[in-house]
Amino acid sequence: MGSAESRPNPPPLSRTRSEQVQVPQALLEADLTSIPRSSTISRSSGLSSRRGSDKNKRRDVVKVSSSLVEGVRRKGVKYQTSKEIVQTVLEKLIEEYPEWNEELGEVCRALNQESDLLSNSVDSLKLEQLFEHLIALTEDEQQRGWSCADDTAEITSMLTDLTCLLKNANPNVVVAVLQRLKYEPLLTLVQYYQLESRPALKKQVLEVLYESMLIKPDPTCSILLTSRLPVQLATDIQGTKVLNQLEMQCNVFCAVLSYPNVMPRSHYDQLDDRFITHLLTELEATDTPHDPEGQLPNNFLKCVLSLNLHYKDLNHNKVCSVLKSRTHASALTEMLLVAFNRTDNLTAYFPGNHDSVSKMMTDMLGSPDTAELFFTNDVKVLIEVLHRNVIDRAEGDTDRLYYLRLLDLVLSNTEYQDHHHMKGDILELLKQVKEEESTDKESQSFASRIIKKHKCLST
Protein backbone atom coordinates (compact mmCIF):
# COMPACT_ATOMS: atom_id res chain seq x y z
CA MET A 1 0.00 0.00 0.00
CA GLY A 2 1.41 3.39 -0.98
CA SER A 3 2.09 5.80 1.86
CA ALA A 4 0.11 9.02 1.92
CA GLU A 5 1.19 12.24 3.55
CA SER A 6 -0.85 12.81 6.70
CA ARG A 7 -1.75 16.22 8.08
CA PRO A 8 0.51 17.10 11.01
CA ASN A 9 -1.17 17.19 14.39
CA PRO A 10 -2.08 20.73 15.48
CA PRO A 11 -0.24 22.24 18.43
CA PRO A 12 -2.07 21.99 21.76
CA LEU A 13 -4.13 24.99 22.87
CA SER A 14 -4.55 24.02 26.51
CA ARG A 15 -3.80 26.86 28.90
CA THR A 16 -2.11 24.37 31.25
CA ARG A 17 0.64 23.57 28.78
CA SER A 18 3.89 25.41 29.03
CA GLU A 19 4.13 25.62 25.26
CA GLN A 20 2.21 28.67 24.00
CA VAL A 21 0.56 28.84 20.57
CA GLN A 22 2.10 31.43 18.26
CA VAL A 23 -0.75 32.71 16.08
CA PRO A 24 0.59 33.81 12.66
CA GLN A 25 0.48 37.57 12.30
CA ALA A 26 -0.34 37.24 8.60
CA LEU A 27 -3.45 35.19 9.41
CA LEU A 28 -5.21 37.43 11.89
CA GLU A 29 -3.41 40.77 11.39
CA ALA A 30 -4.04 41.43 15.04
CA ASP A 31 -1.89 43.05 17.71
CA LEU A 32 -1.43 40.19 20.13
CA THR A 33 0.80 42.08 22.56
CA SER A 34 -2.26 42.97 24.61
CA ILE A 35 -3.38 39.34 24.94
CA PRO A 36 -2.62 38.19 28.49
CA ARG A 37 -0.76 34.94 29.14
CA SER A 38 -2.70 32.59 31.38
CA SER A 39 -0.99 30.78 34.21
CA THR A 40 -1.29 27.17 35.26
CA ILE A 41 -4.19 26.56 37.65
CA SER A 42 -3.40 24.23 40.51
CA ARG A 43 -5.88 21.41 41.08
CA SER A 44 -5.44 21.90 44.82
CA SER A 45 -6.71 25.47 44.74
CA GLY A 46 -9.68 26.24 46.98
CA LEU A 47 -13.21 26.89 45.72
CA SER A 48 -12.91 30.67 46.01
CA SER A 49 -9.60 30.58 44.17
CA ARG A 50 -11.16 28.59 41.32
CA ARG A 51 -14.09 31.02 41.11
CA GLY A 52 -11.75 33.99 40.93
CA SER A 53 -9.61 32.22 38.39
CA ASP A 54 -12.64 31.37 36.24
CA LYS A 55 -13.72 35.01 36.35
CA ASN A 56 -10.26 36.15 35.30
CA LYS A 57 -10.25 33.54 32.56
CA ARG A 58 -13.56 34.83 31.17
CA ARG A 59 -12.22 38.37 31.28
CA ASP A 60 -9.05 37.28 29.48
CA VAL A 61 -11.05 35.51 26.77
CA VAL A 62 -13.15 38.64 26.18
CA LYS A 63 -9.96 40.67 25.84
CA VAL A 64 -8.57 38.17 23.35
CA SER A 65 -11.73 38.34 21.21
CA SER A 66 -11.72 42.13 21.35
CA SER A 67 -8.04 42.24 20.38
CA LEU A 68 -8.70 40.07 17.32
CA VAL A 69 -11.58 42.29 16.19
CA GLU A 70 -9.53 45.45 16.70
CA GLY A 71 -6.70 43.89 14.68
CA VAL A 72 -8.99 43.49 11.68
CA ARG A 73 -10.49 46.95 12.19
CA ARG A 74 -7.06 48.53 11.84
CA LYS A 75 -7.26 47.56 8.19
CA GLY A 76 -10.18 50.00 7.78
CA VAL A 77 -12.96 47.41 8.16
CA LYS A 78 -16.19 48.26 10.00
CA TYR A 79 -16.66 46.84 13.48
CA GLN A 80 -19.55 44.49 12.64
CA THR A 81 -17.79 43.18 9.54
CA SER A 82 -14.56 42.71 11.53
CA LYS A 83 -16.44 40.69 14.13
CA GLU A 84 -17.97 38.50 11.43
CA ILE A 85 -14.53 37.92 9.86
CA VAL A 86 -13.03 36.87 13.19
CA GLN A 87 -15.97 34.59 13.91
CA THR A 88 -15.69 32.98 10.47
CA VAL A 89 -11.96 32.34 10.93
CA LEU A 90 -12.47 30.86 14.40
CA GLU A 91 -15.32 28.62 13.24
CA LYS A 92 -13.23 27.40 10.32
CA LEU A 93 -10.33 26.58 12.65
CA ILE A 94 -12.68 24.65 14.95
CA GLU A 95 -14.01 22.75 11.93
CA GLU A 96 -10.49 21.85 10.78
CA TYR A 97 -9.15 21.13 14.27
CA PRO A 98 -11.96 19.80 16.50
CA GLU A 99 -9.49 19.39 19.37
CA TRP A 100 -9.34 23.22 19.57
CA ASN A 101 -13.11 23.47 20.07
CA GLU A 102 -13.12 24.21 23.80
CA GLU A 103 -10.62 27.08 23.71
CA LEU A 104 -11.63 28.68 20.40
CA GLY A 105 -15.32 28.14 21.19
CA GLU A 106 -14.90 30.34 24.27
CA VAL A 107 -13.33 33.07 22.14
CA CYS A 108 -16.21 32.78 19.64
CA ARG A 109 -18.81 33.15 22.37
CA ALA A 110 -16.91 36.06 23.89
CA LEU A 111 -17.34 38.09 20.69
CA ASN A 112 -20.84 38.98 21.92
CA GLN A 113 -19.84 39.55 25.55
CA GLU A 114 -18.03 42.87 25.41
CA SER A 115 -19.95 44.78 28.06
CA ASP A 116 -16.95 44.77 30.41
CA LEU A 117 -14.83 46.54 27.82
CA LEU A 118 -17.19 49.35 26.79
CA SER A 119 -16.05 51.87 29.37
CA ASN A 120 -12.36 51.35 28.67
CA SER A 121 -12.41 50.83 24.91
CA VAL A 122 -10.35 52.98 22.57
CA ASP A 123 -13.53 53.97 20.70
CA SER A 124 -15.18 55.14 23.92
CA LEU A 125 -12.26 57.35 24.91
CA LYS A 126 -11.90 58.73 21.38
CA LEU A 127 -15.60 59.56 21.16
CA GLU A 128 -15.56 61.43 24.45
CA GLN A 129 -12.49 63.42 23.34
CA LEU A 130 -14.16 64.39 20.06
CA PHE A 131 -17.35 65.44 21.82
CA GLU A 132 -15.36 67.55 24.28
CA HIS A 133 -13.59 69.19 21.34
CA LEU A 134 -16.96 69.89 19.72
CA ILE A 135 -18.28 71.54 22.89
CA ALA A 136 -15.20 73.75 23.07
CA LEU A 137 -15.67 74.83 19.45
CA THR A 138 -19.34 75.63 19.98
CA GLU A 139 -18.66 77.65 23.11
CA ASP A 140 -15.94 79.72 21.41
CA GLU A 141 -18.22 82.68 20.71
CA GLN A 142 -15.43 84.91 19.43
CA GLN A 143 -14.28 82.40 16.83
CA ARG A 144 -17.85 81.67 15.70
CA GLY A 145 -18.86 85.33 15.55
CA TRP A 146 -15.67 87.03 14.34
CA SER A 147 -13.02 84.44 13.57
CA CYS A 148 -9.44 85.45 14.26
CA ALA A 149 -7.94 82.26 12.77
CA ASP A 150 -8.84 79.83 10.00
CA ASP A 151 -9.89 76.69 11.83
CA THR A 152 -11.51 74.99 8.82
CA ALA A 153 -8.89 72.24 8.56
CA GLU A 154 -9.06 71.51 12.29
CA ILE A 155 -12.87 71.26 12.36
CA THR A 156 -12.97 69.26 9.12
CA SER A 157 -10.55 66.73 10.60
CA MET A 158 -12.53 66.51 13.85
CA LEU A 159 -15.88 65.97 12.07
CA THR A 160 -14.31 63.46 9.66
CA ASP A 161 -12.93 61.45 12.59
CA LEU A 162 -16.30 61.59 14.31
CA THR A 163 -18.16 60.37 11.21
CA CYS A 164 -15.67 57.54 10.62
CA LEU A 165 -15.92 56.47 14.24
CA LEU A 166 -19.73 56.38 14.13
CA LYS A 167 -19.62 54.31 10.92
CA ASN A 168 -16.93 51.86 11.98
CA ALA A 169 -17.07 51.59 15.77
CA ASN A 170 -18.90 49.08 17.90
CA PRO A 171 -22.44 50.57 17.95
CA ASN A 172 -22.86 49.43 21.56
CA VAL A 173 -19.90 51.61 22.53
CA VAL A 174 -21.41 54.63 20.76
CA VAL A 175 -24.75 54.13 22.51
CA ALA A 176 -23.03 53.67 25.88
CA VAL A 177 -21.13 56.95 25.45
CA LEU A 178 -24.23 58.87 24.37
CA GLN A 179 -26.23 57.48 27.27
CA ARG A 180 -23.48 58.35 29.72
CA LEU A 181 -23.45 61.91 28.37
CA LYS A 182 -27.30 62.01 28.36
CA TYR A 183 -27.27 62.58 24.59
CA GLU A 184 -26.04 66.15 25.10
CA PRO A 185 -23.58 65.87 22.16
CA LEU A 186 -26.55 65.69 19.79
CA LEU A 187 -27.88 69.05 20.94
CA THR A 188 -24.35 70.46 20.80
CA LEU A 189 -24.14 69.37 17.17
CA VAL A 190 -27.47 71.05 16.42
CA GLN A 191 -26.28 74.24 18.11
CA TYR A 192 -23.01 74.16 16.18
CA TYR A 193 -24.91 73.58 12.93
CA GLN A 194 -26.97 76.71 13.56
CA LEU A 195 -23.90 78.79 14.40
CA GLU A 196 -21.69 77.58 11.55
CA SER A 197 -21.85 79.46 8.25
CA ARG A 198 -19.43 77.42 6.12
CA PRO A 199 -21.49 75.07 3.89
CA ALA A 200 -18.92 72.25 3.78
CA LEU A 201 -18.72 72.09 7.59
CA LYS A 202 -22.51 72.25 7.95
CA LYS A 203 -22.78 69.28 5.59
CA GLN A 204 -20.31 67.32 7.72
CA VAL A 205 -22.33 68.04 10.85
CA LEU A 206 -25.42 66.64 9.16
CA GLU A 207 -23.47 63.50 8.22
CA VAL A 208 -22.57 63.01 11.89
CA LEU A 209 -26.21 63.46 12.95
CA TYR A 210 -27.42 61.08 10.27
CA GLU A 211 -24.99 58.34 11.36
CA SER A 212 -26.10 58.88 14.96
CA MET A 213 -29.72 58.28 13.96
CA LEU A 214 -28.82 55.07 12.15
CA ILE A 215 -27.07 53.71 15.24
CA LYS A 216 -29.82 54.56 17.74
CA PRO A 217 -33.04 55.88 16.13
CA ASP A 218 -34.77 55.99 19.50
CA PRO A 219 -34.28 58.39 21.26
CA THR A 220 -31.94 60.15 18.79
CA CYS A 221 -34.72 61.03 16.31
CA SER A 222 -37.00 62.20 19.11
CA ILE A 223 -34.29 64.47 20.53
CA LEU A 224 -33.55 65.96 17.12
CA LEU A 225 -37.24 66.38 16.26
CA THR A 226 -37.87 68.45 19.38
CA SER A 227 -34.75 70.57 18.75
CA ARG A 228 -34.45 73.51 16.35
CA LEU A 229 -32.93 71.27 13.68
CA PRO A 230 -36.07 70.64 11.54
CA VAL A 231 -36.87 74.36 11.37
CA GLN A 232 -33.26 75.27 10.54
CA LEU A 233 -33.17 72.59 7.84
CA ALA A 234 -36.39 73.93 6.32
CA THR A 235 -34.76 77.35 6.07
CA ASP A 236 -31.59 75.91 4.55
CA ILE A 237 -33.48 73.72 2.05
CA GLN A 238 -35.20 76.83 0.69
CA GLY A 239 -31.91 78.71 0.27
CA THR A 240 -29.42 76.06 -0.89
CA LYS A 241 -28.55 75.65 -4.57
CA VAL A 242 -25.66 73.16 -4.23
CA LEU A 243 -26.80 69.64 -5.09
CA ASN A 244 -24.87 67.50 -2.60
CA GLN A 245 -25.61 69.86 0.30
CA LEU A 246 -29.30 70.02 -0.58
CA GLU A 247 -29.51 66.22 -0.77
CA MET A 248 -27.95 65.91 2.69
CA GLN A 249 -30.31 68.50 4.15
CA CYS A 250 -33.35 66.70 2.71
CA ASN A 251 -32.05 63.33 3.86
CA VAL A 252 -31.64 64.40 7.48
CA PHE A 253 -34.94 66.32 7.48
CA CYS A 254 -36.80 63.22 6.24
CA ALA A 255 -35.05 60.85 8.65
CA VAL A 256 -35.91 63.05 11.65
CA LEU A 257 -39.56 63.55 10.66
CA SER A 258 -40.27 60.03 9.41
CA TYR A 259 -39.61 58.34 12.77
CA PRO A 260 -42.93 57.91 14.64
CA ASN A 261 -42.61 60.73 17.18
CA VAL A 262 -44.79 63.73 18.05
CA MET A 263 -43.59 67.03 16.60
CA PRO A 264 -43.64 70.13 18.86
CA ARG A 265 -46.54 72.52 18.23
CA SER A 266 -44.22 75.38 17.34
CA HIS A 267 -42.83 73.37 14.43
CA TYR A 268 -46.26 73.20 12.81
CA ASP A 269 -46.27 77.00 12.60
CA GLN A 270 -42.70 77.28 11.32
CA LEU A 271 -42.88 74.47 8.76
CA ASP A 272 -45.48 76.62 7.07
CA ASP A 273 -47.29 77.03 3.76
CA ARG A 274 -44.32 78.84 2.27
CA PHE A 275 -42.02 75.91 2.95
CA ILE A 276 -44.53 73.35 1.63
CA THR A 277 -45.12 75.48 -1.49
CA HIS A 278 -41.36 75.60 -2.08
CA LEU A 279 -41.11 71.80 -1.85
CA LEU A 280 -44.01 71.24 -4.26
CA THR A 281 -42.75 73.87 -6.72
CA GLU A 282 -39.25 72.39 -6.79
CA LEU A 283 -40.72 68.91 -7.09
CA GLU A 284 -42.56 69.95 -10.26
CA ALA A 285 -39.61 71.89 -11.72
CA THR A 286 -38.37 70.51 -15.04
CA ASP A 287 -35.30 72.67 -15.65
CA THR A 288 -33.13 73.21 -12.59
CA PRO A 289 -29.56 74.40 -13.34
CA HIS A 290 -28.08 72.97 -10.11
CA ASP A 291 -29.77 69.59 -10.72
CA PRO A 292 -29.04 68.64 -14.36
CA GLU A 293 -29.80 64.93 -13.82
CA GLY A 294 -33.13 65.52 -12.05
CA GLN A 295 -32.20 63.89 -8.72
CA LEU A 296 -33.85 66.42 -6.43
CA PRO A 297 -37.60 65.84 -7.08
CA ASN A 298 -37.38 62.50 -5.27
CA ASN A 299 -35.77 64.23 -2.29
CA PHE A 300 -38.43 66.93 -2.20
CA LEU A 301 -41.15 64.26 -2.45
CA LYS A 302 -39.69 62.51 0.61
CA CYS A 303 -39.75 65.82 2.50
CA VAL A 304 -43.43 66.29 1.65
CA LEU A 305 -44.25 62.71 2.65
CA SER A 306 -42.33 62.95 5.93
CA LEU A 307 -44.03 66.19 6.90
CA ASN A 308 -47.46 64.85 5.93
CA LEU A 309 -47.03 61.98 8.43
CA HIS A 310 -47.49 64.51 11.24
CA TYR A 311 -50.99 65.62 10.16
CA LYS A 312 -53.56 63.21 11.55
CA ASP A 313 -56.65 65.35 10.89
CA LEU A 314 -57.34 65.93 7.20
CA ASN A 315 -59.25 69.13 8.01
CA HIS A 316 -56.08 70.66 9.47
CA ASN A 317 -53.58 69.16 7.07
CA LYS A 318 -51.35 71.98 5.74
CA VAL A 319 -49.85 69.81 3.01
CA CYS A 320 -53.28 69.09 1.55
CA SER A 321 -54.36 72.71 2.06
CA VAL A 322 -51.46 73.89 -0.10
CA LEU A 323 -52.22 71.19 -2.69
CA LYS A 324 -55.82 72.41 -2.95
CA SER A 325 -54.55 75.79 -4.13
CA ARG A 326 -52.52 74.28 -6.97
CA THR A 327 -53.88 73.73 -10.47
CA HIS A 328 -51.64 70.74 -11.18
CA ALA A 329 -49.23 68.36 -9.46
CA SER A 330 -48.41 65.92 -12.24
CA ALA A 331 -44.93 65.01 -11.03
CA LEU A 332 -46.19 64.41 -7.50
CA THR A 333 -49.09 62.18 -8.57
CA GLU A 334 -46.95 60.24 -11.04
CA MET A 335 -44.22 59.53 -8.48
CA LEU A 336 -46.81 58.60 -5.87
CA LEU A 337 -48.50 56.11 -8.19
CA VAL A 338 -45.21 54.45 -9.09
CA ALA A 339 -44.27 54.07 -5.43
CA PHE A 340 -47.78 52.90 -4.49
CA ASN A 341 -47.82 50.29 -7.25
CA ARG A 342 -44.47 48.93 -6.02
CA THR A 343 -45.59 49.16 -2.37
CA ASP A 344 -42.49 51.25 -1.68
CA ASN A 345 -42.34 53.25 1.54
CA LEU A 346 -40.07 56.07 0.39
CA THR A 347 -39.35 57.23 3.94
CA ALA A 348 -38.54 53.84 5.48
CA TYR A 349 -35.29 55.02 7.06
CA PHE A 350 -35.79 52.85 10.16
CA PRO A 351 -37.73 49.68 11.02
CA GLY A 352 -41.27 50.48 12.15
CA ASN A 353 -41.65 53.68 10.15
CA HIS A 354 -45.21 54.43 9.05
CA ASP A 355 -46.00 54.04 5.36
CA SER A 356 -45.86 57.63 4.16
CA VAL A 357 -46.92 56.80 0.57
CA SER A 358 -50.13 55.05 1.66
CA LYS A 359 -50.99 57.92 4.00
CA MET A 360 -50.41 60.51 1.27
CA MET A 361 -52.62 58.59 -1.16
CA THR A 362 -55.38 58.35 1.45
CA ASP A 363 -55.16 62.05 2.30
CA MET A 364 -55.16 63.23 -1.31
CA LEU A 365 -58.06 60.98 -2.29
CA GLY A 366 -59.93 61.96 0.87
CA SER A 367 -61.14 65.22 -0.66
CA PRO A 368 -62.43 66.02 -4.18
CA ASP A 369 -60.25 69.18 -4.17
CA THR A 370 -57.00 67.18 -3.99
CA ALA A 371 -58.28 64.03 -5.74
CA GLU A 372 -58.84 66.08 -8.89
CA LEU A 373 -55.06 66.53 -9.17
CA PHE A 374 -54.89 62.94 -10.42
CA PHE A 375 -55.40 62.73 -14.18
CA THR A 376 -58.09 60.38 -15.53
CA ASN A 377 -55.44 57.92 -16.70
CA ASP A 378 -53.89 58.05 -13.23
CA VAL A 379 -57.23 57.13 -11.68
CA LYS A 380 -57.68 54.23 -14.11
CA VAL A 381 -54.22 52.87 -13.29
CA LEU A 382 -54.96 53.25 -9.59
CA ILE A 383 -58.23 51.30 -9.92
CA GLU A 384 -56.35 48.46 -11.63
CA VAL A 385 -53.73 48.44 -8.87
CA LEU A 386 -56.39 48.39 -6.13
CA HIS A 387 -58.35 45.63 -7.88
CA ARG A 388 -55.22 43.46 -8.13
CA ASN A 389 -54.16 44.10 -4.54
CA VAL A 390 -57.56 43.20 -3.09
CA ILE A 391 -57.48 39.91 -5.02
CA ASP A 392 -53.91 39.15 -3.91
CA ARG A 393 -54.59 39.73 -0.20
CA ALA A 394 -55.77 36.84 1.92
CA GLU A 395 -58.86 36.98 4.10
CA GLY A 396 -58.19 38.88 7.30
CA ASP A 397 -55.21 40.74 5.87
CA THR A 398 -55.41 44.33 7.15
CA ASP A 399 -54.02 45.59 3.84
CA ARG A 400 -57.07 44.23 2.01
CA LEU A 401 -59.39 46.41 4.09
CA TYR A 402 -57.10 49.40 3.45
CA TYR A 403 -57.31 48.86 -0.33
CA LEU A 404 -61.11 48.58 -0.12
CA ARG A 405 -61.25 51.88 1.77
CA LEU A 406 -59.04 53.52 -0.85
CA LEU A 407 -61.27 52.13 -3.61
CA ASP A 408 -64.25 53.74 -1.90
CA LEU A 409 -62.43 57.10 -1.88
CA VAL A 410 -61.65 56.78 -5.59
CA LEU A 411 -65.29 56.04 -6.42
CA SER A 412 -66.49 58.90 -4.17
CA ASN A 413 -64.07 61.76 -4.86
CA THR A 414 -62.87 61.35 -8.46
CA GLU A 415 -64.81 61.69 -11.71
CA TYR A 416 -65.38 57.94 -11.87
CA GLN A 417 -68.86 58.30 -13.32
CA ASP A 418 -67.28 59.79 -16.45
CA HIS A 419 -65.58 56.53 -17.44
CA HIS A 420 -66.76 53.64 -15.17
CA HIS A 421 -63.36 51.94 -15.62
CA MET A 422 -63.48 48.19 -14.76
CA LYS A 423 -67.01 48.57 -13.37
CA GLY A 424 -67.94 44.92 -13.91
CA ASP A 425 -64.68 43.62 -12.44
CA ILE A 426 -65.03 45.85 -9.38
CA LEU A 427 -68.63 44.77 -8.75
CA GLU A 428 -67.73 41.09 -9.12
CA LEU A 429 -64.81 41.48 -6.71
CA LEU A 430 -66.91 43.27 -4.11
CA LYS A 431 -69.62 40.59 -4.30
CA GLN A 432 -66.97 37.91 -3.90
CA VAL A 433 -65.61 39.56 -0.74
CA LYS A 434 -69.12 40.14 0.58
CA GLU A 435 -70.30 36.55 0.10
CA GLU A 436 -67.16 34.61 1.04
CA GLU A 437 -67.24 32.31 4.04
CA SER A 438 -64.80 34.17 6.19
CA THR A 439 -64.11 35.52 9.64
CA ASP A 440 -63.07 38.81 8.03
CA LYS A 441 -66.41 40.44 8.83
CA GLU A 442 -65.04 43.97 8.57
CA SER A 443 -63.98 43.58 4.93
CA GLN A 444 -67.27 41.86 4.10
CA SER A 445 -69.27 44.67 5.69
CA PHE A 446 -67.24 47.33 3.92
CA ALA A 447 -67.58 45.63 0.53
CA SER A 448 -71.36 45.50 1.04
CA ARG A 449 -71.38 49.17 1.98
CA ILE A 450 -69.49 50.14 -1.21
CA ILE A 451 -72.01 48.28 -3.39
CA LYS A 452 -74.94 50.04 -1.70
CA LYS A 453 -73.26 53.45 -1.74
CA HIS A 454 -72.17 53.49 -5.38
CA LYS A 455 -75.24 52.63 -7.46
CA CYS A 456 -73.27 53.27 -10.64
CA LEU A 457 -71.58 49.88 -10.21
CA SER A 458 -74.87 48.04 -10.58
CA THR A 459 -76.42 50.04 -13.45
Side-chain angles (χ1 to χ4, degrees):
M1 180 182 293
S3 60
E5 290 185 4
S6 59
R7 185 178 65 191
N9 291 329
L13 288 184
S14 172
R15 293 180 179 274
T16 61
R17 300 291 183 92
S18 59
E19 180 182 359
Q20 296 293 330
V21 178
Q22 299 298 321
V23 182
Q25 181 72 18
L27 174 63
L28 296 177
E29 292 290 347
D31 179 10
L32 302 181
T33 58
S34 62
I35 300 179
R37 305 297 189 204
S38 59
S39 57
T40 302
I41 301 175
S42 173
R43 293 181 181 274
S44 60
S45 299
L47 179 60
S48 61
S49 176
R50 287 200 300 273
R51 286 176 177 171
S53 182
D54 289 344
K55 185 176 180 180
N56 290 335
K57 180 182 177 181
R58 286 195 298 271
R59 187 182 298 116
D60 289 350
V61 170
V62 171
K63 288 182 179 179
V64 170
S65 69
S66 179
S67 177
L68 295 175
V69 172
E70 291 303 314
V72 179
R73 279 190 62 199
R74 276 194 284 276
K75 297 299 180 181
V77 184
K78 290 185 177 182
Y79 171 81
Q80 190 59 39
T81 305
S82 300
K83 195 163 86 167
E84 291 170 0
I85 290 172
V86 171
Q87 185 160 358
T88 301
V89 171
L90 292 174
E91 289 173 351
K92 186 63 177 176
L93 286 172
I94 292 172
E95 180 184 329
E96 291 292 324
Y97 301 105
E99 53 269 49
W100 290 3
N101 178 66
E102 182 179 351
E103 291 82 0
L104 293 186
E106 288 185 20
V107 179
C108 254
R109 289 188 291 274
L111 287 171
N112 298 313
Q113 300 173 4
E114 298 178 320
S115 56
D116 294 338
L117 297 177
L118 295 183
S119 59
N120 296 317
S121 72
V122 174
D123 289 340
S124 176
L125 297 174
K126 181 68 173 176
L127 263 177
E128 290 188 357
Q129 290 173 359
L130 289 170
F131 285 145
E132 288 175 3
H133 190 184
L134 177 67
I135 291 172
L137 285 171
T138 306
E139 292 179 348
D140 188 350
E141 296 181 4
Q142 180 179 354
Q143 183 69 6
R144 298 279 69 76
W146 188 271
S147 59
C148 54
D150 186 2
D151 55 3
T152 304
E154 175 191 359
I155 300 175
T156 298
S157 176
M158 185 266 293
L159 292 173
T160 300
D161 289 345
L162 192 50
T163 303
C164 290
L165 200 53
L166 292 173
K167 286 182 177 180
N168 300 324
N170 181 348
N172 293 328
V173 170
V174 177
V175 172
V177 172
L178 286 173
Q179 288 177 338
R180 191 160 59 240
L181 299 175
K182 299 181 179 179
Y183 292 90
E184 286 294 332
L186 298 177
L187 296 177
T188 302
L189 282 163
V190 172
Q191 184 182 0
Y192 177 75
Y193 178 79
Q194 290 182 280
L195 294 171
E196 184 57 72
S197 59
R198 288 164 286 191
L201 295 180
K202 290 173 74 74
K203 180 175 177 290
Q204 281 191 283
V205 173
L206 293 180
E207 289 171 356
V208 172
L209 290 171
Y210 186 71
E211 292 299 328
S212 302
M213 285 187 281
L214 294 182
I215 291 173
K216 187 70 171 174
D218 184 25
T220 302
C221 292
S222 178
I223 292 169
L224 295 179
L225 181 63
T226 55
S227 73
R228 293 289 302 170
L229 182 63
V231 175
Q232 183 63 54
L233 284 171
T235 301
D236 292 346
I237 287 171
Q238 294 176 79
T240 302
K241 299 298 181 184
V242 179
L243 180 61
N244 62 354
Q245 292 175 7
L246 194 49
E247 286 181 321
M248 195 71 228
Q249 290 163 359
C250 290
N251 216 21
V252 174
F253 180 87
C254 295
V256 172
L257 268 72
S258 65
Y259 199 76
N261 290 312
V262 179
M263 191 165 66
R265 285 189 176 183
S266 59
H267 286 11
Y268 287 96
D269 295 329
Q270 293 166 313
L271 302 176
D272 55 10
D273 294 3
R274 180 182 175 185
F275 173 58
I276 297 169
T277 299
H278 175 82
L279 293 176
L280 293 172
T281 301
E282 291 297 312
L283 195 160
E284 299 291 334
T286 56
D287 184 18
T288 306
H290 57 278
D291 182 29
E293 297 182 6
Q295 300 176 34
L296 285 177
N298 192 52
N299 287 280
F300 290 124
L301 173 62
K302 290 180 180 180
C303 290
V304 172
L305 295 176
S306 299
L307 182 56
N308 188 63
L309 284 171
H310 291 268
Y311 291 100
K312 308 304 180 186
D313 183 354
L314 189 58
N315 294 323
H316 298 91
N317 187 322
K318 281 190 178 181
V319 174
C320 287
S321 294
V322 173
L323 281 170
K324 288 177 182 179
S325 66
R326 302 182 71 84
T327 57
H328 74 281
S330 56
L332 170 66
T333 54
E334 180 182 349
M335 294 169 74
L336 273 177
L337 277 173
V338 170
F340 183 76
N341 186 34
R342 295 175 179 171
T343 64
D344 288 342
N345 182 6
L346 298 180
T347 58
Y349 288 87
F350 315 105
N353 277 18
H354 295 152
D355 189 343
S356 59
V357 173
S358 295
K359 184 179 184 305
M360 192 70 192
M361 290 293 291
T362 302
D363 290 348
M364 287 190 68
L365 291 168
S367 166
D369 294 330
T370 46
E372 70 177 6
L373 292 171
F374 289 93
F375 293 140
T376 300
N377 283 338
D378 293 338
V379 174
K380 290 180 178 180
V381 170
L382 179 57
I383 289 172
E384 293 169 10
V385 172
L386 292 173
H387 181 269
R388 184 188 71 237
N389 283 334
V390 172
I391 291 176
D392 291 345
R393 295 306 185 274
E395 298 173 10
D397 190 326
T398 55
D399 284 344
R400 185 168 76 154
L401 180 59
Y402 164 72
Y403 290 125
L404 287 172
R405 292 184 186 280
L406 208 58
L407 177 61
D408 178 45
L409 293 178
V410 171
L411 298 175
S412 300
N413 295 327
T414 68
E415 300 296 332
Y416 180 74
Q417 296 192 27
D418 291 348
H419 51 79
H420 290 173
H421 185 62
M422 292 186 68
K423 181 177 75 170
D425 296 310
I426 293 174
L427 181 59
E428 182 181 350
L429 175 63
L430 292 172
K431 286 181 177 179
Q432 180 181 333
V433 174
K434 173 189 172 184
E435 297 168 1
E436 65 190 4
E437 295 182 4
S438 169
T439 56
D440 187 8
K441 302 302 181 185
E442 194 170 3
S443 291
Q444 290 179 312
S445 174
F446 201 81
S448 177
R449 200 182 317 162
I450 294 175
I451 295 173
K452 292 178 181 178
K453 179 180 178 182
H454 301 286
K455 303 296 184 182
C456 63
L457 295 174
S458 305
T459 58

